[in-house]
Amino acid sequence: MDRLLGVATDDDSTPSVLMATPSWLLTQSAMHAHRIITEAFAAGNARGYHYRLLATMAEFGAASQASLGRHTGIDRSDVVAALNELAEQGFVQRAPDPEDGRRNIITVTPAGRRQLKRLDKLVKQAQDEVFAPLSTADRATLGRLLAQVLAHHAGS
Amino acid sequence: MDRLLGVATDDDSTPSVLMATPSWLLTQSAMHAHRIITEAFAAGNARGYHYRLLATMAEFGAASQASLGRHTGIDRSDVVAALNELAEQGFVQRAPDPEDGRRNIITVTPAGRRQLKRLDKLVKQAQDEVFAPLSTADRATLGRLLAQVLAHHAGS
DNA sequence: CCCTTATTGTTGGCGATGCCAACATTGGCG
DNA sequence: CGCCAATGTTGGCATCGCCAACAATAAGGG
């Protein structure tokens, strides 16, 4: 009786078509994960780009901005902005490459290394929050499957 | 020898810290999925919002804009814009609710139903592209795990 | 019956992310 | 020397999600 005109009076609930679409589940889960991670970074006065850049330099050492962009998958233009912010906070240092006038050599400062440690901790906590409902085995399975998907689209 | 100054001369490759972070795998996979889905929608002159709205009305029948927003998880203000575009294309129809002066009743037109069918097909193709490396069983497992994660964060 | 509160449609704006175009500078190579 | 590639930088665009404000309307309590 409450749908005489096809106007549902009850709300909420997602269409089953969407719930049955894998990529919907994927992007929605990722949205929650992204929100949680973003909040975690915000608690450390950072954004995802900053973490990616710091983690990359910690693993591969100092590098040019273009190289950082390739390692992190961040666009050159966005690397500029993120590094500006990191430099303002004293976490990285820009220096012209004496061997190549086009390049800047970006170095992580001791403060930057401390910041990375803080962010690492925040990221770890966020993981537990995101994947709370999954057992350790399930998390491993999920990671494996996602890694497969990711590898498949890596070249693009 | 080529890392005298810590400047790596080889590029590409993602830091292992990131690859070991589940939420990184999740958001990156989702990004590829999102890109592929977006392109598929673009091929049908649509965006994600349009598909969500059409699919919702197909399943729950005509509804007010606010109701559509709750069903789809799209903000009221964004529902307005998306419906404007759908109306311009003749896929939906806006009519004032005779029983409630505040509401509009949104109806899918026959053309809208055809568009939804087209988009459904595009979405299905996109799924195969996104999850190509996974077997049917793996896709089911992935779907189950993601649904668990999604359900856990549903209330938020 | 009035007044308060809630709902609805709408406009406008913000931030994060990713992407692309353009441009000047500089290197490298034929 | 001259052309092409790489680099840093600026500026812009699209999607997506979110929030604030506002006017009109409904609904419910005193």
Side-chain angles (χ1 to χ4, degrees):
Chain A
M1 280 300 281
D2 53 12
R3 297 199 57 212
L4 260 182
L5 294 172
V7 179
T9 56
D10 57 340
D11 267 351
D12 228 343
S13 86
T14 314
S16 57
V17 198
L18 292 184
M19 292 304 292
T21 307
S23 75
W24 169 261
L25 298 172
L26 181 57
T27 52
Q28 289 302 302
S29 310
M31 259 203 42
H32 287 286
H34 184 261
R35 185 177 42 78
I36 290 172
I37 277 277
T38 297
E39 286 168 5
F41 282 145
N45 289 320
R47 290 182 301 131
Y49 281 2
H50 303 149
Y51 179 68
R52 283 201 237 174
L53 290 168
L54 288 175
T56 300
M57 289 187 274
E59 180 159 339
F60 298 101
S64 72
Q65 299 183 188
S67 172
L68 287 175
R70 282 185 291 267
H71 274 297
T72 57
I74 304 176
D75 191 88
R76 292 207 311 275
S77 58
D78 299 318
V79 171
V80 174
L83 285 183
N84 284 341
E85 292 153 8
L86 285 174
E88 274 179 20
Q89 295 170 298
F91 295 148
V92 302
Q93 199 182 349
R94 257 201 194 90
D97 188 334
E99 297 180 357
D100 191 332
R102 297 168 300 177
R103 297 182 180 175
N104 291 332
I105 296 181
I106 313 297
T107 315
V108 189
T109 66
R113 270 184 285 275
R114 285 193 295 273
Q115 167 75 339
L116 178 56
K117 263 189 206 169
R118 278 192 295 269
L119 295 181
D120 268 328
K121 211 178 293 180
L122 292 173
V123 167
K124 208 172 179 184
Q125 293 171 1
Q127 299 308 305
D128 285 334
E129 192 179 342
V130 172
F131 301 104
L134 299 187
S135 69
T136 305
D138 280 345
R139 294 187 196 196
T141 303
L142 181 59
R144 182 177 54 79
L145 295 176
L146 290 176
Q148 272 183 262
V149 173
L150 201 50
H152 180 256
H153 298 285
S156 60
Chain B
M1 279 300 281
D2 52 13
R3 297 199 55 212
L4 260 182
L5 296 172
V7 180
T9 55
D10 55 342
D11 266 351
D12 228 343
S13 84
T14 313
S16 56
V17 198
L18 291 184
M19 292 304 292
T21 306
S23 75
W24 169 261
L25 298 173
L26 180 57
T27 53
Q28 288 303 300
S29 308
M31 259 203 43
H32 286 286
H34 184 260
R35 184 176 44 77
I36 290 172
I37 277 277
T38 296
E39 285 168 4
F41 282 147
N45 289 320
R47 289 181 302 132
Y49 281 3
H50 302 148
Y51 179 67
R52 283 201 238 172
L53 289 169
L54 288 176
T56 299
M57 289 187 275
E59 179 158 338
F60 298 101
S64 71
Q65 300 183 188
S67 172
L68 287 175
R70 283 184 290 268
H71 274 297
T72 56
I74 303 176
D75 191 89
R76 292 206 311 274
S77 59
D78 299 318
V79 171
V80 174
L83 285 182
N84 284 341
E85 292 154 7
L86 285 174
E88 274 179 20
Q89 293 170 298
F91 295 148
V92 301
Q93 200 182 349
R94 258 201 193 91
D97 187 335
E99 297 181 357
D100 190 332
R102 297 168 299 178
R103 296 182 181 176
N104 290 333
I105 296 181
I106 313 298
T107 315
V108 189
T109 66
R113 270 183 285 276
R114 286 193 295 274
Q115 168 75 341
L116 177 56
K117 261 189 207 168
R118 279 192 294 269
L119 295 181
D120 268 328
K121 210 178 292 180
L122 292 172
V123 167
K124 206 171 180 185
Q125 292 171 2
Q127 299 307 305
D128 285 335
E129 192 180 342
V130 171
F131 301 104
L134 300 187
S135 69
T136 305
D138 280 346
R139 296 187 195 194
T141 303
L142 180 59
R144 183 178 54 79
L145 295 176
L146 290 177
Q148 271 183 262
V149 173
L150 199 50
H152 179 257
H153 299 284
S156 60

PDB file of all heavy atoms in Angstrom, chain A residues 80-107:
ATOM      1  N   VAL A  80      56.059  18.276  -7.400  1.00  0.00           N
ATOM      2  CA  VAL A  80      56.526  19.621  -7.056  1.00  0.00           C
ATOM      3  C   VAL A  80      55.807  20.141  -5.824  1.00  0.00           C
ATOM      4  O   VAL A  80      56.431  20.549  -4.840  1.00  0.00           O
ATOM      5  CB  VAL A  80      56.280  20.595  -8.233  1.00  0.00           C
ATOM      6  CG1 VAL A  80      56.627  22.012  -7.838  1.00  0.00           C
ATOM      7  CG2 VAL A  80      57.085  20.158  -9.441  1.00  0.00           C
ATOM      8  N   ALA A  81      54.469  20.106  -5.864  1.00  0.00           N
ATOM      9  CA  ALA A  81      53.667  20.656  -4.772  1.00  0.00           C
ATOM     10  C   ALA A  81      53.922  19.913  -3.466  1.00  0.00           C
ATOM     11  O   ALA A  81      54.126  20.534  -2.415  1.00  0.00           O
ATOM     12  CB  ALA A  81      52.184  20.592  -5.136  1.00  0.00           C
ATOM     13  N   ALA A  82      53.944  18.581  -3.542  1.00  0.00           N
ATOM     14  CA  ALA A  82      54.131  17.789  -2.330  1.00  0.00           C
ATOM     15  C   ALA A  82      55.503  18.049  -1.718  1.00  0.00           C
ATOM     16  O   ALA A  82      55.644  18.152  -0.493  1.00  0.00           O
ATOM     17  CB  ALA A  82      53.945  16.303  -2.639  1.00  0.00           C
ATOM     18  N   LEU A  83      56.509  18.166  -2.586  1.00  0.00           N
ATOM     19  CA  LEU A  83      57.861  18.423  -2.071  1.00  0.00           C
ATOM     20  C   LEU A  83      57.963  19.830  -1.484  1.00  0.00           C
ATOM     21  O   LEU A  83      58.690  20.043  -0.504  1.00  0.00           O
ATOM     22  CB  LEU A  83      58.897  18.241  -3.184  1.00  0.00           C
ATOM     23  CG  LEU A  83      59.189  16.791  -3.564  1.00  0.00           C
ATOM     24  CD1 LEU A  83      60.275  16.725  -4.626  1.00  0.00           C
ATOM     25  CD2 LEU A  83      59.599  15.977  -2.345  1.00  0.00           C
ATOM     26  N   ASN A  84      57.248  20.770  -2.068  1.00  0.00           N
ATOM     27  CA  ASN A  84      57.217  22.115  -1.485  1.00  0.00           C
ATOM     28  C   ASN A  84      56.740  22.046  -0.042  1.00  0.00           C
ATOM     29  O   ASN A  84      57.334  22.656   0.849  1.00  0.00           O
ATOM     30  CB  ASN A  84      56.282  23.018  -2.289  1.00  0.00           C
ATOM     31  CG  ASN A  84      56.902  23.469  -3.597  1.00  0.00           C
ATOM     32  OD1 ASN A  84      58.128  23.415  -3.762  1.00  0.00           O
ATOM     33  ND2 ASN A  84      56.073  23.906  -4.526  1.00  0.00           N
ATOM     34  N   GLU A  85      55.666  21.268   0.164  1.00  0.00           N
ATOM     35  CA  GLU A  85      55.114  21.164   1.510  1.00  0.00           C
ATOM     36  C   GLU A  85      56.070  20.434   2.444  1.00  0.00           C
ATOM     37  O   GLU A  85      56.252  20.831   3.599  1.00  0.00           O
ATOM     38  CB  GLU A  85      53.756  20.440   1.444  1.00  0.00           C
ATOM     39  CG  GLU A  85      52.677  21.259   0.737  1.00  0.00           C
ATOM     40  CD  GLU A  85      51.589  20.390   0.099  1.00  0.00           C
ATOM     41  OE1 GLU A  85      51.596  19.168   0.335  1.00  0.00           O
ATOM     42  OE2 GLU A  85      50.742  20.941  -0.622  1.00  0.00           O
ATOM     43  N   LEU A  86      56.681  19.378   1.938  1.00  0.00           N
ATOM     44  CA  LEU A  86      57.635  18.638   2.769  1.00  0.00           C
ATOM     45  C   LEU A  86      58.847  19.508   3.113  1.00  0.00           C
ATOM     46  O   LEU A  86      59.384  19.438   4.225  1.00  0.00           O
ATOM     47  CB  LEU A  86      58.096  17.363   2.046  1.00  0.00           C
ATOM     48  CG  LEU A  86      57.087  16.214   2.000  1.00  0.00           C
ATOM     49  CD1 LEU A  86      57.597  15.072   1.137  1.00  0.00           C
ATOM     50  CD2 LEU A  86      56.792  15.709   3.409  1.00  0.00           C
ATOM     51  N   ALA A  87      59.254  20.333   2.160  1.00  0.00           N
ATOM     52  CA  ALA A  87      60.399  21.209   2.397  1.00  0.00           C
ATOM     53  C   ALA A  87      60.056  22.280   3.423  1.00  0.00           C
ATOM     54  O   ALA A  87      60.858  22.608   4.305  1.00  0.00           O
ATOM     55  CB  ALA A  87      60.843  21.840   1.081  1.00  0.00           C
ATOM     56  N   GLU A  88      58.838  22.822   3.321  1.00  0.00           N
ATOM     57  CA  GLU A  88      58.383  23.830   4.285  1.00  0.00           C
ATOM     58  C   GLU A  88      58.409  23.280   5.703  1.00  0.00           C
ATOM     59  O   GLU A  88      58.691  23.995   6.656  1.00  0.00           O
ATOM     60  CB  GLU A  88      56.952  24.272   3.953  1.00  0.00           C
ATOM     61  CG  GLU A  88      56.860  25.401   2.938  1.00  0.00           C
ATOM     62  CD  GLU A  88      55.404  25.757   2.655  1.00  0.00           C
ATOM     63  OE1 GLU A  88      54.553  25.413   3.488  1.00  0.00           O
ATOM     64  OE2 GLU A  88      55.124  26.352   1.592  1.00  0.00           O
ATOM     65  N   GLN A  89      58.090  21.983   5.817  1.00  0.00           N
ATOM     66  CA  GLN A  89      58.081  21.355   7.136  1.00  0.00           C
ATOM     67  C   GLN A  89      59.469  20.877   7.550  1.00  0.00           C
ATOM     68  O   GLN A  89      59.629  20.315   8.621  1.00  0.00           O
ATOM     69  CB  GLN A  89      57.090  20.175   7.139  1.00  0.00           C
ATOM     70  CG  GLN A  89      55.631  20.602   6.950  1.00  0.00           C
ATOM     71  CD  GLN A  89      54.720  19.401   6.708  1.00  0.00           C
ATOM     72  OE1 GLN A  89      54.881  18.678   5.726  1.00  0.00           O
ATOM     73  NE2 GLN A  89      53.776  19.173   7.600  1.00  0.00           N
ATOM     74  N   GLY A  90      60.429  21.053   6.637  1.00  0.00           N
ATOM     75  CA  GLY A  90      61.785  20.669   6.971  1.00  0.00           C
ATOM     76  C   GLY A  90      62.046  19.176   6.891  1.00  0.00           C
ATOM     77  O   GLY A  90      62.994  18.674   7.492  1.00  0.00           O
ATOM     78  N   PHE A  91      61.219  18.471   6.146  1.00  0.00           N
ATOM     79  CA  PHE A  91      61.375  17.016   6.070  1.00  0.00           C
ATOM     80  C   PHE A  91      62.252  16.589   4.898  1.00  0.00           C
ATOM     81  O   PHE A  91      62.776  15.472   4.881  1.00  0.00           O
ATOM     82  CB  PHE A  91      60.006  16.342   5.973  1.00  0.00           C
ATOM     83  CG  PHE A  91      59.159  16.536   7.201  1.00  0.00           C
ATOM     84  CD1 PHE A  91      57.780  16.615   7.112  1.00  0.00           C
ATOM     85  CD2 PHE A  91      59.755  16.622   8.461  1.00  0.00           C
ATOM     86  CE1 PHE A  91      57.009  16.792   8.258  1.00  0.00           C
ATOM     87  CE2 PHE A  91      58.987  16.796   9.611  1.00  0.00           C
ATOM     88  CZ  PHE A  91      57.616  16.886   9.506  1.00  0.00           C
ATOM     89  N   VAL A  92      62.363  17.441   3.899  1.00  0.00           N
ATOM     90  CA  VAL A  92      63.248  17.148   2.772  1.00  0.00           C
ATOM     91  C   VAL A  92      64.022  18.409   2.422  1.00  0.00           C
ATOM     92  O   VAL A  92      63.685  19.509   2.860  1.00  0.00           O
ATOM     93  CB  VAL A  92      62.470  16.684   1.518  1.00  0.00           C
ATOM     94  CG1 VAL A  92      61.646  15.452   1.809  1.00  0.00           C
ATOM     95  CG2 VAL A  92      61.608  17.802   0.974  1.00  0.00           C
ATOM     96  N   GLN A  93      65.066  18.199   1.610  1.00  0.00           N
ATOM     97  CA  GLN A  93      65.899  19.323   1.209  1.00  0.00           C
ATOM     98  C   GLN A  93      66.088  19.277  -0.294  1.00  0.00           C
ATOM     99  O   GLN A  93      66.379  18.213  -0.857  1.00  0.00           O
ATOM    100  CB  GLN A  93      67.251  19.227   1.924  1.00  0.00           C
ATOM    101  CG  GLN A  93      68.000  20.526   1.950  1.00  0.00           C
ATOM    102  CD  GLN A  93      69.348  20.370   2.623  1.00  0.00           C
ATOM    103  OE1 GLN A  93      69.609  19.340   3.243  1.00  0.00           O
ATOM    104  NE2 GLN A  93      70.200  21.365   2.484  1.00  0.00           N
ATOM    105  N   ARG A  94      65.945  20.436  -0.929  1.00  0.00           N
ATOM    106  CA  ARG A  94      66.142  20.516  -2.375  1.00  0.00           C
ATOM    107  C   ARG A  94      67.533  21.078  -2.644  1.00  0.00           C
ATOM    108  O   ARG A  94      67.897  22.116  -2.096  1.00  0.00           O
ATOM    109  CB  ARG A  94      65.109  21.466  -2.996  1.00  0.00           C
ATOM    110  CG  ARG A  94      63.950  20.802  -3.703  1.00  0.00           C
ATOM    111  CD  ARG A  94      63.332  21.795  -4.670  1.00  0.00           C
ATOM    112  NE  ARG A  94      62.016  21.358  -5.165  1.00  0.00           N
ATOM    113  CZ  ARG A  94      60.883  21.639  -4.588  1.00  0.00           C
ATOM    114  NH1 ARG A  94      60.868  22.325  -3.472  1.00  0.00           N
ATOM    115  NH2 ARG A  94      59.740  21.235  -5.128  1.00  0.00           N
ATOM    116  N   ALA A  95      68.263  20.404  -3.522  1.00  0.00           N
ATOM    117  CA  ALA A  95      69.556  20.940  -3.919  1.00  0.00           C
ATOM    118  C   ALA A  95      69.758  20.683  -5.400  1.00  0.00           C
ATOM    119  O   ALA A  95      69.427  19.599  -5.896  1.00  0.00           O
ATOM    120  CB  ALA A  95      70.671  20.279  -3.113  1.00  0.00           C
ATOM    121  N   PRO A  96      70.270  21.668  -6.122  1.00  0.00           N
ATOM    122  CA  PRO A  96      70.510  21.471  -7.551  1.00  0.00           C
ATOM    123  C   PRO A  96      71.570  20.402  -7.763  1.00  0.00           C
ATOM    124  O   PRO A  96      72.551  20.329  -7.017  1.00  0.00           O
ATOM    125  CB  PRO A  96      71.005  22.842  -8.019  1.00  0.00           C
ATOM    126  CG  PRO A  96      71.451  23.550  -6.792  1.00  0.00           C
ATOM    127  CD  PRO A  96      70.636  23.014  -5.664  1.00  0.00           C
ATOM    128  N   ASP A  97      71.374  19.580  -8.778  1.00  0.00           N
ATOM    129  CA  ASP A  97      72.334  18.525  -9.101  1.00  0.00           C
ATOM    130  C   ASP A  97      73.530  19.160  -9.809  1.00  0.00           C
ATOM    131  O   ASP A  97      73.375  19.756 -10.880  1.00  0.00           O
ATOM    132  CB  ASP A  97      71.653  17.494 -10.012  1.00  0.00           C
ATOM    133  CG  ASP A  97      72.534  16.268 -10.237  1.00  0.00           C
ATOM    134  OD1 ASP A  97      73.760  16.394 -10.141  1.00  0.00           O
ATOM    135  OD2 ASP A  97      71.973  15.192 -10.508  1.00  0.00           O
ATOM    136  N   PRO A  98      74.713  19.063  -9.227  1.00  0.00           N
ATOM    137  CA  PRO A  98      75.891  19.683  -9.843  1.00  0.00           C
ATOM    138  C   PRO A  98      76.244  19.030 -11.184  1.00  0.00           C
ATOM    139  O   PRO A  98      76.886  19.655 -12.018  1.00  0.00           O
ATOM    140  CB  PRO A  98      76.996  19.434  -8.812  1.00  0.00           C
ATOM    141  CG  PRO A  98      76.515  18.281  -7.990  1.00  0.00           C
ATOM    142  CD  PRO A  98      75.020  18.384  -7.969  1.00  0.00           C
ATOM    143  N   GLU A  99      75.795  17.811 -11.377  1.00  0.00           N
ATOM    144  CA  GLU A  99      76.127  17.097 -12.615  1.00  0.00           C
ATOM    145  C   GLU A  99      75.070  17.239 -13.695  1.00  0.00           C
ATOM    146  O   GLU A  99      75.260  16.780 -14.812  1.00  0.00           O
ATOM    147  CB  GLU A  99      76.346  15.598 -12.305  1.00  0.00           C
ATOM    148  CG  GLU A  99      77.506  15.337 -11.371  1.00  0.00           C
ATOM    149  CD  GLU A  99      77.675  13.850 -11.115  1.00  0.00           C
ATOM    150  OE1 GLU A  99      76.846  13.062 -11.632  1.00  0.00           O
ATOM    151  OE2 GLU A  99      78.624  13.479 -10.404  1.00  0.00           O
ATOM    152  N   ASP A 100      73.915  17.802 -13.312  1.00  0.00           N
ATOM    153  CA  ASP A 100      72.832  17.960 -14.290  1.00  0.00           C
ATOM    154  C   ASP A 100      71.986  19.165 -13.914  1.00  0.00           C
ATOM    155  O   ASP A 100      71.213  19.117 -12.970  1.00  0.00           O
ATOM    156  CB  ASP A 100      71.978  16.686 -14.335  1.00  0.00           C
ATOM    157  CG  ASP A 100      71.014  16.690 -15.520  1.00  0.00           C
ATOM    158  OD1 ASP A 100      70.617  17.794 -15.967  1.00  0.00           O
ATOM    159  OD2 ASP A 100      70.657  15.607 -16.000  1.00  0.00           O
ATOM    160  N   GLY A 101      72.167  20.208 -14.659  1.00  0.00           N
ATOM    161  CA  GLY A 101      71.523  21.476 -14.355  1.00  0.00           C
ATOM    162  C   GLY A 101      70.015  21.436 -14.359  1.00  0.00           C
ATOM    163  O   GLY A 101      69.358  22.358 -13.866  1.00  0.00           O
ATOM    164  N   ARG A 102      69.454  20.365 -14.926  1.00  0.00           N
ATOM    165  CA  ARG A 102      67.997  20.299 -14.969  1.00  0.00           C
ATOM    166  C   ARG A 102      67.420  19.761 -13.667  1.00  0.00           C
ATOM    167  O   ARG A 102      66.306  20.079 -13.281  1.00  0.00           O
ATOM    168  CB  ARG A 102      67.545  19.387 -16.107  1.00  0.00           C
ATOM    169  CG  ARG A 102      67.937  19.858 -17.482  1.00  0.00           C
ATOM    170  CD  ARG A 102      67.727  18.776 -18.504  1.00  0.00           C
ATOM    171  NE  ARG A 102      68.520  17.593 -18.184  1.00  0.00           N
ATOM    172  CZ  ARG A 102      68.482  16.463 -18.873  1.00  0.00           C
ATOM    173  NH1 ARG A 102      67.668  16.360 -19.905  1.00  0.00           N
ATOM    174  NH2 ARG A 102      69.236  15.455 -18.538  1.00  0.00           N
ATOM    175  N   ARG A 103      68.209  18.950 -12.991  1.00  0.00           N
ATOM    176  CA  ARG A 103      67.670  18.195 -11.862  1.00  0.00           C
ATOM    177  C   ARG A 103      67.868  18.862 -10.510  1.00  0.00           C
ATOM    178  O   ARG A 103      68.817  19.586 -10.284  1.00  0.00           O
ATOM    179  CB  ARG A 103      68.328  16.813 -11.804  1.00  0.00           C
ATOM    180  CG  ARG A 103      68.039  15.968 -13.004  1.00  0.00           C
ATOM    181  CD  ARG A 103      68.673  14.602 -12.843  1.00  0.00           C
ATOM    182  NE  ARG A 103      68.391  13.770 -14.016  1.00  0.00           N
ATOM    183  CZ  ARG A 103      68.901  12.565 -14.202  1.00  0.00           C
ATOM    184  NH1 ARG A 103      69.711  12.043 -13.298  1.00  0.00           N
ATOM    185  NH2 ARG A 103      68.594  11.876 -15.278  1.00  0.00           N
ATOM    186  N   ASN A 104      66.938  18.543  -9.631  1.00  0.00           N
ATOM    187  CA  ASN A 104      67.135  18.799  -8.211  1.00  0.00           C
ATOM    188  C   ASN A 104      67.382  17.453  -7.529  1.00  0.00           C
ATOM    189  O   ASN A 104      66.769  16.456  -7.903  1.00  0.00           O
ATOM    190  CB  ASN A 104      65.893  19.441  -7.596  1.00  0.00           C
ATOM    191  CG  ASN A 104      65.681  20.855  -8.083  1.00  0.00           C
ATOM    192  OD1 ASN A 104      66.636  21.541  -8.433  1.00  0.00           O
ATOM    193  ND2 ASN A 104      64.434  21.279  -8.110  1.00  0.00           N
ATOM    194  N   ILE A 105      68.250  17.456  -6.556  1.00  0.00           N
ATOM    195  CA  ILE A 105      68.433  16.250  -5.758  1.00  0.00           C
ATOM    196  C   ILE A 105      67.683  16.434  -4.447  1.00  0.00           C
ATOM    197  O   ILE A 105      67.928  17.393  -3.710  1.00  0.00           O
ATOM    198  CB  ILE A 105      69.926  15.972  -5.463  1.00  0.00           C
ATOM    199  CG1 ILE A 105      70.664  15.693  -6.777  1.00  0.00           C
ATOM    200  CG2 ILE A 105      70.070  14.788  -4.517  1.00  0.00           C
ATOM    201  CD1 ILE A 105      72.132  15.386  -6.582  1.00  0.00           C
ATOM    202  N   ILE A 106      66.760  15.525  -4.190  1.00  0.00           N
ATOM    203  CA  ILE A 106      65.933  15.636  -2.990  1.00  0.00           C
ATOM    204  C   ILE A 106      66.466  14.693  -1.926  1.00  0.00           C
ATOM    205  O   ILE A 106      66.648  13.501  -2.171  1.00  0.00           O
ATOM    206  CB  ILE A 106      64.470  15.279  -3.293  1.00  0.00           C
ATOM    207  CG1 ILE A 106      64.005  15.992  -4.565  1.00  0.00           C
ATOM    208  CG2 ILE A 106      63.591  15.618  -2.117  1.00  0.00           C
ATOM    209  CD1 ILE A 106      64.011  17.479  -4.471  1.00  0.00           C
ATOM    210  N   THR A 107      66.696  15.239  -0.746  1.00  0.00           N
ATOM    211  CA  THR A 107      67.252  14.451   0.355  1.00  0.00           C
ATOM    212  C   THR A 107      66.302  14.501   1.545  1.00  0.00           C
ATOM    213  O   THR A 107      65.714  15.544   1.832  1.00  0.00           O
ATOM    214  CB  THR A 107      68.616  15.024   0.788  1.00  0.00           C
ATOM    215  OG1 THR A 107      69.395  15.312  -0.372  1.00  0.00           O
ATOM    216  CG2 THR A 107      69.343  14.046   1.682  1.00  0.00           C
TER     217      THR A 107
END
